[in-house]
Amino acid sequence: METKKIPYKIYLEEKEMPREWYNVRADMKKKPAPILNPTTLKPVTEEELSSIFCEELARQELDDTTAYFPIPEEIRDFYKMYRPAPLVRAYCLEKKLGTPAHIYYKFEGNNTSGSHKLNSAIAQAYYAKKQGLKGVTTETGAGQWGTALSMACSYFDMDCQVYMVKCSYEQKPFRREVMRTYGAKVTPSPSMKTEVGRRINEEFPGTMGSLGCAISEAVEAATSQENYRYVLGSVLSQVLLHQSIIGLETKAALDKYHIKADVIIGCAGGGSNLGGLISPFVGEMLRGEADYKVIAVEPASCPSLTRGTYAYDFCDTGKVCPLAKMYTLGSSFMPSANHAGGLRYHGMSSVVSELYDQGLMEARSVEQTAVFEAAQTFAKVEGILPAPESSHAIKVAIDEALKCKETGEEKNIVFGLTGTGYFDMVAYGKFNDGEMKDYIPTDEDISKSIATLPKVN
Amino acid sequence: METKKIPYKIYLEEKEMPREWYNVRADMKKKPAPILNPTTLKPVTEEELSSIFCEELARQELDDTTAYFPIPEEIRDFYKMYRPAPLVRAYCLEKKLGTPAHIYYKFEGNNTSGSHKLNSAIAQAYYAKKQGLKGVTTETGAGQWGTALSMACSYFDMDCQVYMVKCSYEQKPFRREVMRTYGAKVTPSPSMKTEVGRRINEEFPGTMGSLGCAISEAVEAATSQENYRYVLGSVLSQVLLHQSIIGLETKAALDKYHIKADVIIGCAGGGSNLGGLISPFVGEMLRGEADYKVIAVEPASCPSLTRGTYAYDFCDTGKVCPLAKMYTLGSSFMPSANHAGGLRYHGMSSVVSELYDQGLMEARSVEQTAVFEAAQTFAKVEGILPAPESSHAIKVAIDEALKCKETGEEKNIVFGLTGTGYFDMVAYGKFNDGEMKDYIPTDEDISKSIATLPKVN
């Protein structure tokens, strides 16, 4: 077959953009285990879910049989502002590595939120608006999700209340200001605005907060205000559904140039990017149409797939959200300092967990100094300063490309570049100063937190 | 004529990318006045210029007759990493304003330097490399130029020494770290590394530096090290030549959809973006082929076109660079605090100045609170948080679009969105807190600095 010359960047045309999200669960013979009501420990119903989430999102969360969901026109219009995202042929990186492999990356960082999070934020804001809600609440750690949601709510003229982990609120004032510029109300958590916040402040005076605590405050804020709901940026199946846009565009761009991916690599925290990127490819595997080597990359400091256990666990440290069966280190696991804030999550999306358990992908954990070295190599030749999270995928893509150099194989390696590192310069500064350290939890650390798993299992 | 549906983003294909830069001086009957040797006050020769700048760049600087310069393949390859930049149809902004006007912006912020500066940085690094130099030196204020040059030098594996105004070095550590990640040596200026730096530190203990002082240090560093040259990111005619890629791509994208621009708007500091954006359009005007309304937008705090005088002046406060005839407030003018650091320059590119003097464009000055309001409006509907510099153009584009709303005219308004504001969140924070102030120099301020113009005039 004659192949067209592949440009540095493959942009789909507007009319080639996906008009439907793909729900990989529909093609799974063995479905992910149902999520459970944290009080009754029974599979949660749509009605129960709808008290926390918007109705349409609750429906999407529980639907594991519908393969395609039409993307509403309003959302597609918003997507057109920053999508299609380019699929980039990393010619310069290939040359630098001297590899015969062809490296491609799907770049999701060309929007002000700086990451793929916007893909789901706009969907969640849209359904909230459509339901006639006044606003939504959420939590944010490093701030990517909060920023994305602020942008989405601003677009639909909705109130957006973000509980931001206090230490990030103070140490990352830039993301806070981006959110405020988009009109969001950003509250350092724990705050005195909620009951749970006041209680935690009283119990632990001077605490700098945690994601678990911020979730609890955001949920309380949603349920105690009329016409508000809570939204979440990762882990959930609805989020993976929205993020399938990443994989669908990637596949369409590859198909356009008759490229068959051999290896597909994504960084994995809660699983939103990885799940979205791999969904259409794994779908083909599930249907027996194609085969790919899929690799999930997680930080060695928070290795839920590589060292966790597959069991029901709480999705949040506050234990207010439904329980999910997932690869987990235990919701009480406290990941040691790692600059990839977006990957510091104790568990893994139940969809990704089940796919991993079925042997449809492998997982690797990498240490952060090696990740920042890969990030620097990439930045120097590809001109994009990557987010620490995304750089986990870069690291493994480089490893795979170097293997091809040894074997002489001309593999097509595709990875997800989820975002940019412009708000992560404190971490880069540490790396530049040679002060970055690697942290790996001991077996004892992990056993201890796994021992506190709920009794459902 | 039937028109194609215009997408949100017009991307040229790789093969449609310009292969030559356009030198607008070639089409000017009355050329910009020659630049002068600061010692002899005579027109500077190529040989003299070559002691500071690379040979090819000195040649480009002085050539006012060659209309097109081929872009070397190595530079075009680098351009392909982040170009073509999209020409965006601002559908959402139009809807928000309720204007019949069609608004387009050329977005130059999709690269890690965050601005258009990279277009010239890569060219200057390339010619330095080709000449066999070991490295280059430069100064940076806010850091866009320093970042761009760091990226360019890293790509060609050259040494890059950046003298960064000390107050920026300390207050904007993020940009500093981006430069360091790209391998640049960043020195706070005034430093103890140069004679001029030591002298200034002795005379003004504790000084936080100035751009003028940083230029002097960078020039001294270039001339005192073997195989080094000094490079500059704006004002010079060579820079405008490289930046013509902006205008050429813009015009090609408009032509592709049979769109005739009516109004073209650019922010103006030293003139690199404005000059690059308007060059091909003004070229048509000079050749009598078309007519456009061209508007230069500058900050009210530093109004060189609207309140300056057209005369020979020093390009730098240190008075080591050649003199240029330009609209200037006097090189001793100290612009009051304005968050658009990239527009705080006392003068204006001699090419832009001469075009303005010939009546080929108009100029407007705008105040920064109004600029940030426009930036926020834009960010909320177009999803890009703009740089304060770029937002000057947004402000006037909105003004023009609102005029169309009054008159009912369906004009095509095109403006340059030079970059993103991700490293300007301190300024946005002040705006969010309602603490931003406007500063306008008094007539006396301006007369005082203009009185110190050199005696050439």
Side-chain angles (χ1 to χ4, degrees):
Chain A
M1 178 167 43
E2 212 197 352
T3 50
K4 285 180 264 184
K5 152 113 177 76
I6 296 160
Y8 278 62
K9 294 190 250 60
I10 305 176
Y11 280 107
L12 297 177
E13 288 180 44
E14 238 171 53
K15 59 180 184 225
E16 295 170 312
M17 285 176 68
R19 302 171 74 89
E20 293 173 315
W21 292 304
Y22 169 63
N23 182 12
V24 71
R25 289 172 292 171
D27 281 314
M28 294 170 76
K29 279 197 194 86
K30 183 168 174 246
K31 310 282 183 191
I35 53 176
L36 306 182
N37 181 317
T39 316
T40 65
L41 298 182
K42 296 235 165 77
V44 78
T45 64
E46 196 175 305
E47 202 187 335
E48 287 167 349
L49 260 194
S50 300
S51 64
I52 308 180
F53 299 126
C54 306
E55 285 157 23
E56 178 59 29
L57 293 167
R59 200 159 20 242
Q60 291 178 358
E61 189 63 31
L62 299 179
D63 185 339
D64 58 10
T65 54
T66 306
Y68 289 94
F69 287 76
I71 308 175
E73 194 183 348
E74 290 89 335
I75 298 176
R76 284 192 283 119
D77 279 347
F78 186 88
Y79 279 167
K80 286 178 197 161
M81 271 176 24
Y82 69 101
R83 309 196 69 81
L87 181 71
V88 186
R89 170 79 184 267
Y91 281 115
C92 300
L93 180 61
E94 290 169 17
K95 194 174 155 195
K96 170 85 182 169
L97 301 175
T99 177
H102 293 191
I103 308 174
Y104 297 87
Y105 56 91
K106 181 69 172 170
F107 181 42
E108 292 287 327
N110 271 350
N111 71 75
T112 287
S113 81
S115 83
H116 65 293
K117 295 281 180 182
L118 197 52
N119 300 333
S120 183
I122 191 63
Q124 298 196 42
Y126 168 78
Y127 291 117
K129 181 77 179 180
K130 208 178 152 205
Q131 193 177 320
L133 299 183
K134 208 180 144 199
V136 292
T137 70
T138 199
E139 75 294 329
T140 201
Q144 284 99 327
W145 169 245
T147 310
L149 190 68
S150 304
M151 291 175 70
C153 286
S154 157
Y155 185 78
F156 286 125
D157 209 10
M158 289 183 66
D159 190 33
C160 179
Q161 302 176 356
V162 181
Y163 288 83
M164 186 172 189
V165 177
K166 195 181 272 178
C167 84
S168 295
Y169 183 91
E170 291 181 3
Q171 287 170 13
K172 302 201 171 186
F174 283 12
R175 279 217 194 265
R176 177 186 82 204
E177 291 307 330
V178 178
M179 290 185 256
R180 290 184 67 209
T181 303
Y182 279 95
K185 298 185 186 81
V186 188
T187 305
S189 166
S191 75
M192 298 303 278
K193 281 188 185 171
T194 64
E195 208 173 298
V196 59
R198 287 188 292 272
R199 201 174 60 227
I200 291 171
N201 270 318
E202 198 169 302
E203 251 179 76
F204 309 98
T207 174
M208 293 306 278
S210 72
L211 208 52
C213 162
I215 294 180
S216 308
E217 285 206 86
V219 172
E220 183 185 324
T223 48
S224 63
Q225 294 174 91
E226 205 163 332
N227 273 325
Y228 277 77
R229 288 294 184 283
Y230 167 69
V231 296
L232 185 62
S234 190
V235 185
L236 298 174
S237 301
Q238 58 184 272
V239 175
L240 266 71
L241 175 70
H242 308 146
Q243 295 296 357
S244 70
I245 187 92
I246 304 173
L248 292 164
E249 278 189 11
T250 301
K251 196 159 159 18
L254 290 170
D255 288 349
K256 196 170 174 174
Y257 286 86
H258 312 296
I259 303 157
K260 161 73 174 65
D262 296 302
V263 188
I264 301 165
I265 302 164
C267 63
S272 71
N273 153 68
L274 178 76
L277 172 67
I278 67 173
S279 276
F281 299 96
V282 169
E284 288 186 301
M285 291 169 81
L286 288 164
R287 296 189 303 268
E289 297 166 3
D291 202 25
Y292 303 98
K293 177 172 168 176
V294 177
I295 309 174
V297 190
E298 54 186 17
S301 61
C302 196
S304 53
L305 287 174
T306 49
R307 297 176 66 194
T309 189
Y310 192 32
Y312 268 107
D313 196 5
F314 292 99
C315 291
D316 59 312
T317 352
K319 305 183 181 182
V320 292
C321 292
L323 281 77
K325 188 173 177 195
M326 54 186 181
Y327 276 85
T328 179
L329 298 162
S331 66
S332 65
F333 180 76
M334 288 301 290
S336 48
N338 179 296
H339 292 292
L343 304 182
R344 298 180 70 218
Y345 183 66
H346 68 277
M348 180 61 63
S349 134
S350 61
V351 177
V352 170
S353 293
E354 180 57 32
L355 291 170
Y356 179 61
D357 201 56
Q358 292 181 22
L360 285 148
M361 68 175 86
E362 51 186 274
R364 289 193 204 156
S365 75
V366 289
E367 295 174 23
Q368 69 173 348
T369 46
V371 165
F372 273 81
E373 277 160 21
Q376 190 178 35
T377 300
F378 179 86
K380 285 190 172 186
V381 291
E382 290 292 322
I384 296 168
L385 191 88
E389 289 84 353
S390 327
S391 305
H392 285 68
I394 297 175
K395 163 68 180 143
V396 170
I398 290 178
D399 289 348
E400 290 293 306
L402 290 176
K403 271 189 216 164
C404 289
K405 189 178 178 177
E406 277 177 32
T407 62
E409 285 172 293
E410 216 179 272
K411 282 188 185 169
N412 290 317
I413 300 170
V414 177
F415 71 90
L417 189 73
T418 51
T420 50
Y422 308 147
F423 293 95
D424 301 291
M425 294 319 298
V426 173
Y428 272 98
K430 281 217 169 127
F431 173 73
N432 292 335
D433 290 333
E435 286 171 9
M436 185 165 277
K437 286 195 192 110
D438 290 320
Y439 303 90
I440 302 177
T442 62
D443 287 340
E444 205 193 333
D445 291 336
I446 294 178
S447 313
K448 226 186 258 176
S449 59
I450 284 182
T452 66
L453 284 179
K455 301 284 169 243
V456 206
N457 297 290
Chain B
M1 178 166 41
E2 213 195 352
T3 49
K4 286 180 264 185
K5 154 113 176 76
I6 296 160
Y8 278 62
K9 292 190 256 49
I10 305 177
Y11 279 108
L12 297 177
E13 288 180 45
E14 240 170 51
K15 60 181 184 225
E16 296 170 312
M17 284 176 68
R19 302 171 75 89
E20 295 172 314
W21 292 304
Y22 169 64
N23 181 12
V24 69
R25 288 172 293 171
D27 281 313
M28 294 170 75
K29 281 199 193 85
K30 185 169 172 243
K31 309 284 182 192
I35 53 175
L36 307 181
N37 181 316
T39 317
T40 64
L41 298 183
K42 297 232 165 77
V44 78
T45 65
E46 196 175 305
E47 204 189 334
E48 287 167 349
L49 260 194
S50 300
S51 64
I52 308 179
F53 298 126
C54 304
E55 286 157 22
E56 178 58 30
L57 293 167
R59 206 164 11 248
Q60 291 178 359
E61 189 63 31
L62 299 178
D63 187 338
D64 58 10
T65 54
T66 307
Y68 288 95
F69 286 76
I71 308 174
E73 195 184 346
E74 291 89 336
I75 298 177
R76 282 191 284 120
D77 279 348
F78 186 88
Y79 279 167
K80 285 178 197 161
M81 272 174 24
Y82 70 102
R83 310 197 67 81
L87 180 71
V88 186
R89 171 78 185 267
Y91 281 115
C92 299
L93 180 61
E94 291 168 15
K95 194 174 156 197
K96 170 82 181 171
L97 301 175
T99 176
H102 294 191
I103 307 175
Y104 297 86
Y105 56 91
K106 180 69 171 170
F107 181 42
E108 291 287 326
N110 271 351
N111 71 75
T112 287
S113 82
S115 82
H116 66 293
K117 296 280 180 181
L118 197 52
N119 301 332
S120 183
I122 190 63
Q124 298 196 42
Y126 167 77
Y127 291 117
K129 181 76 178 178
K130 209 179 151 204
Q131 193 176 320
L133 299 183
K134 209 180 143 201
V136 293
T137 71
T138 199
E139 77 293 329
T140 201
Q144 285 100 326
W145 168 245
T147 310
L149 190 68
S150 306
M151 291 175 70
C153 286
S154 156
Y155 184 77
F156 286 124
D157 209 11
M158 290 183 64
D159 190 34
C160 179
Q161 302 176 356
V162 181
Y163 288 83
M164 187 172 189
V165 178
K166 195 180 273 179
C167 84
S168 295
Y169 182 91
E170 292 181 1
Q171 288 171 13
K172 301 201 170 184
F174 283 12
R175 278 216 194 265
R176 179 185 81 204
E177 291 308 329
V178 178
M179 289 185 256
R180 289 183 67 210
T181 304
Y182 279 95
K185 299 185 184 79
V186 188
T187 305
S189 167
S191 76
M192 298 305 276
K193 281 188 186 172
T194 64
E195 208 173 299
V196 59
R198 287 189 291 272
R199 200 173 61 225
I200 291 171
N201 269 319
E202 200 169 301
E203 252 179 75
F204 308 97
T207 174
M208 292 307 278
S210 72
L211 208 52
C213 162
I215 294 180
S216 308
E217 285 206 86
V219 173
E220 184 185 323
T223 49
S224 62
Q225 293 175 92
E226 207 163 329
N227 273 325
Y228 276 77
R229 288 294 184 285
Y230 167 69
V231 297
L232 185 62
S234 189
V235 184
L236 299 174
S237 300
Q238 58 184 273
V239 176
L240 266 71
L241 174 69
H242 308 147
Q243 295 295 357
S244 69
I245 187 92
I246 305 173
L248 291 164
E249 277 188 12
T250 302
K251 195 156 160 23
L254 290 170
D255 287 350
K256 197 171 174 173
Y257 285 85
H258 312 295
I259 304 157
K260 160 73 174 65
D262 295 302
V263 188
I264 301 166
I265 302 165
C267 63
S272 71
N273 153 68
L274 177 76
L277 173 67
I278 68 174
S279 276
F281 299 97
V282 169
E284 289 187 302
M285 291 170 81
L286 288 163
R287 297 189 304 269
E289 297 165 4
D291 202 24
Y292 301 99
K293 177 171 168 177
V294 177
I295 309 174
V297 190
E298 54 186 16
S301 61
C302 196
S304 53
L305 287 173
T306 49
R307 295 176 68 194
T309 189
Y310 192 32
Y312 267 107
D313 196 4
F314 291 99
C315 290
D316 58 312
T317 352
K319 304 184 181 181
V320 293
C321 291
L323 281 76
K325 189 174 176 193
M326 53 185 181
Y327 275 85
T328 179
L329 298 162
S331 67
S332 66
F333 181 76
M334 289 300 291
S336 48
N338 179 298
H339 293 291
L343 303 182
R344 298 181 69 215
Y345 183 68
H346 67 278
M348 179 62 63
S349 136
S350 61
V351 177
V352 170
S353 292
E354 181 57 33
L355 292 170
Y356 179 60
D357 202 57
Q358 291 181 23
L360 285 148
M361 69 174 85
E362 51 187 273
R364 287 192 204 157
S365 75
V366 288
E367 295 174 22
Q368 69 174 347
T369 46
V371 164
F372 273 81
E373 278 161 20
Q376 189 178 36
T377 300
F378 179 85
K380 285 189 172 187
V381 290
E382 290 292 322
I384 297 168
L385 191 87
E389 290 85 352
S390 327
S391 304
H392 285 69
I394 297 174
K395 163 67 180 144
V396 170
I398 291 178
D399 289 348
E400 290 293 306
L402 291 176
K403 271 188 215 164
C404 290
K405 190 177 179 177
E406 277 176 33
T407 62
E409 286 172 292
E410 215 179 271
K411 282 188 185 168
N412 290 316
I413 299 171
V414 178
F415 72 90
L417 190 72
T418 52
T420 50
Y422 307 148
F423 293 95
D424 301 291
M425 294 319 298
V426 173
Y428 272 98
K430 281 219 168 124
F431 173 74
N432 292 334
D433 289 334
E435 286 171 10
M436 185 165 277
K437 287 194 191 111
D438 291 321
Y439 303 90
I440 302 177
T442 63
D443 288 341
E444 206 192 332
D445 291 336
I446 294 178
S447 314
K448 227 186 256 176
S449 59
I450 282 181
T452 65
L453 285 179
K455 299 287 169 241
V456 206
N457 298 290

